[in-house]
């Protein structure tokens, strides 16, 4: 197996040096790994689609039958958050999907491409979690009270309740940011390690 892997790398290094074969050479193990990366990102997209549809439906229901306009604004904020998340992930998934079909370019170029796409998705999602999770927690806290009392003024008039909402946002925000990093490491860690190791060996 090591001899086969060595031969495979030599073929691709010759390709990069200018000796172009008719088609790029990819071992089945590499093709399977690239296909798994695309599937993982697609599963992430399914979760985002479900999140967006849930908040979109909830927002529509509240617009039609809800009693408070303020709760509609809160749900609108969560719906827009899900759209931003979708906008950040979908273009990179489409590029990876297109690449997995064509498999054009040398092995090094393919490794670099997938590494760039994955690291960008993870970096952007981690940043979004750090920035938006505290606000999401405070929105969830405020929603329950506004839906019951009818206005956010009920919270603003009570310093202890406002402080509780802020502390909830900070604590849940920190936990959410940590969870985002951990979940991305679990979901994509082995793929990033595979890409980094192969790129290191080709150096």
């Amino acid at each position: 197996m090591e001899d086969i892997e060595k031969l495979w790398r030599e073929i691709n290094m010759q390709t990069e040096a200018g000796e172009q074969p008719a088609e790029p050479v990819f071992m089945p193990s590499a093709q399977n790994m690239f296909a798994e990366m695309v599937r993982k990102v697609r599963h992430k997209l399914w979760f985002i689609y479900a999140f967006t549809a849930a908040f979109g439906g909830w927002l529509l229901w509240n617009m039609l039958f809800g009693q408070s306009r303020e709760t509609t604004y809160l749900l609108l904020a969560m719906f827009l958050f899900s759209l931003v998340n979708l906008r950040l992930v979908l273009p990179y998934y489409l590029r990876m999907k297109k690449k997995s079909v064509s498999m054009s370019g040398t092995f090094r170029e393919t490794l670099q491409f997938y590494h760039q796409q994955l690291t960008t998705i993870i970096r952007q999602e981690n940043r979004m979690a750090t920035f938006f999770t505290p606000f999401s927690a405070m929105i969830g806290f405020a929603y329950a009270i506004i839906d019951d009392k009818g206005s956010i003024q009920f919270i603003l008039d009570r310093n202890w309740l406002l402080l509780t909402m802020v502390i909830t946002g900070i604590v849940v925000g920190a936990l959410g940011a940590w969870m985002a990093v951990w979940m991305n490491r679990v979901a994509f860690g082995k793929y990033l390690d595979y890409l980094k190791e192969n790129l290191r060996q080709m150096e």
Side-chain angles (χ1 to χ4, degrees):
M1 180 60 71
E2 291 181 359
D3 292 339
I4 295 176
E5 295 288 341
K6 182 179 179 181
L7 175 61
W8 173 43
R9 285 194 295 270
E10 288 177 353
I11 291 173
N12 283 282
M13 289 175 71
Q14 290 172 2
T15 300
E16 291 169 0
E19 302 174 21
Q20 298 288 341
E23 294 181 357
V25 179
F26 295 96
M27 291 289 288
S29 59
Q31 293 178 343
N32 291 337
M33 186 63 74
F34 296 144
E36 283 185 27
M37 294 179 202
V38 176
R39 282 195 295 270
K40 279 287 186 178
V41 178
R42 183 168 65 243
H43 294 163
K44 180 184 288 290
L45 270 176
W46 288 347
F47 177 79
I48 298 174
Y49 287 144
F51 188 85
T52 304
F55 274 101
W58 195 358
L59 173 63
L60 181 60
W61 183 91
N62 199 81
M63 291 174 62
L64 296 175
F65 306 107
Q67 301 298 319
S68 172
R69 182 176 296 179
E70 292 181 17
T71 57
T72 301
Y73 294 151
L74 294 180
L75 291 172
L76 177 61
M78 294 303 297
F79 179 68
L80 292 176
F81 162 73
S82 66
L83 289 181
V84 170
N85 198 16
L86 180 63
R87 175 65 182 82
L88 291 177
V89 176
L90 183 58
Y92 297 95
Y93 166 72
L94 294 177
R95 291 172 194 158
M96 293 174 70
K97 182 179 179 181
K98 182 179 179 180
K99 183 73 170 181
S100 68
V101 173
S102 64
M103 293 304 290
S104 59
T106 65
F107 183 55
R108 183 196 297 272
E109 291 170 346
T110 302
L111 289 171
Q112 291 172 336
F113 171 82
Y114 278 101
H115 184 264
Q116 180 183 12
Q117 305 308 305
L118 278 183
T119 53
T120 302
I121 290 174
I122 292 171
R123 182 173 62 252
Q124 291 183 156
E125 192 164 67
N126 290 344
R127 288 175 178 174
M128 278 198 66
T130 301
F131 182 77
F132 282 105
T133 304
F135 293 102
S136 299
M138 287 189 285
I139 286 174
F141 182 94
Y143 177 87
I145 296 176
I146 294 173
D147 197 49
D148 181 55
K149 302 300 182 180
S151 175
I152 196 173
Q153 195 62 42
F154 184 85
I155 299 175
L156 299 179
D157 290 341
R158 293 161 175 80
N159 291 335
W160 68 270
L161 201 54
L162 181 61
L163 180 61
T164 302
M165 183 179 72
V166 172
I167 292 175
T168 299
I170 294 173
V171 172
V172 175
L175 180 61
W178 178 84
M179 282 292 294
V181 173
W182 179 79
M183 290 178 67
N184 280 323
R185 186 181 298 121
V186 171
F188 297 105
K190 74 172 185 178
Y191 305 111
L192 287 174
D193 290 342
Y194 172 85
L195 294 169
K196 290 177 182 177
E197 177 61 20
N198 278 274
L199 285 170
R200 184 189 66 80
Q201 291 180 5
M202 297 191 75
E203 292 296 330

